[in-house]
Amino acid sequence: QVQLVESGGGLVQAGGSLRLSCAASGRTFSSYAMGWFRQTPGKEREFVAAISRSGSSTGYADSVKGRFTISRDNAKNTVYLQMNSLKPEDTAVYYCAARGDAYYGGVDFKNYDYWGQGTQATVSS
């Protein structure tokens, strides 16, 4: 198993940036594909970004492509989401997720096994 804890959320004006972190417990972090998802009230959980076990492959939702960057540091057991050029519609609770049975996690939240508690990011206009 792996335990995940997100941090780095907060309040920022439109056009600003936030850097989210997800700290993982355990000694097998590199065996998990990782992803970021977000959710707002009344909406389904939305894929944001994913990264493979080694970090060699990444993927992004069209809505964030070019603005967000996912990365990981396996030596630090941490995955990051750098969010630039933020828009009010980016306001959400952001969740870190881990998938253990594949090299790359993909866009479907149902394929991920472990989840953090979430961190709130609010973008004001």
Side-chain angles (χ1 to χ4, degrees):
Q1 293 191 23
V2 61
Q3 293 179 320
L4 308 173
V5 180
E6 302 96 333
S7 62
L11 176 64
V12 65
Q13 291 189 2
S17 298
L18 286 171
R19 183 175 175 86
L20 307 184
S21 297
C22 174
S25 66
R27 296 168 289 180
T28 58
F29 176 67
S30 62
S31 69
Y32 293 93
M34 302 296 296
W36 286 97
F37 294 78
R38 66 188 183 187
Q39 191 162 25
T40 57
K43 295 179 64 178
E44 288 188 322
R45 203 173 323 179
E46 178 186 15
F47 169 76
V48 177
I51 189 165
S52 62
R53 290 173 177 175
S54 68
S56 62
S57 298
T58 59
Y60 299 91
D62 288 341
S63 59
V64 307
K65 196 172 299 181
R67 300 187 297 120
F68 291 10
T69 302
I70 188 171
S71 62
R72 68 190 295 164
D73 187 339
N74 286 346
K76 296 182 178 180
N77 282 10
T78 303
V79 63
Y80 305 95
L81 185 67
Q82 179 67 47
M83 306 191 295
N84 298 326
S85 302
L86 284 163
K87 306 174 181 180
E89 51 262 46
D90 294 319
T91 295
V93 177
Y94 284 75
Y95 295 93
C96 176
R99 179 177 181 177
D101 66 345
Y103 177 75
Y104 178 75
V107 304
D108 190 346
F109 73 89
K110 299 181 183 67
N111 289 327
Y112 289 79
D113 305 300
Y114 306 100
W115 295 84
Q117 84 290 347
T119 185
Q120 175 73 47
T122 302
V123 184
S124 63
S125 60

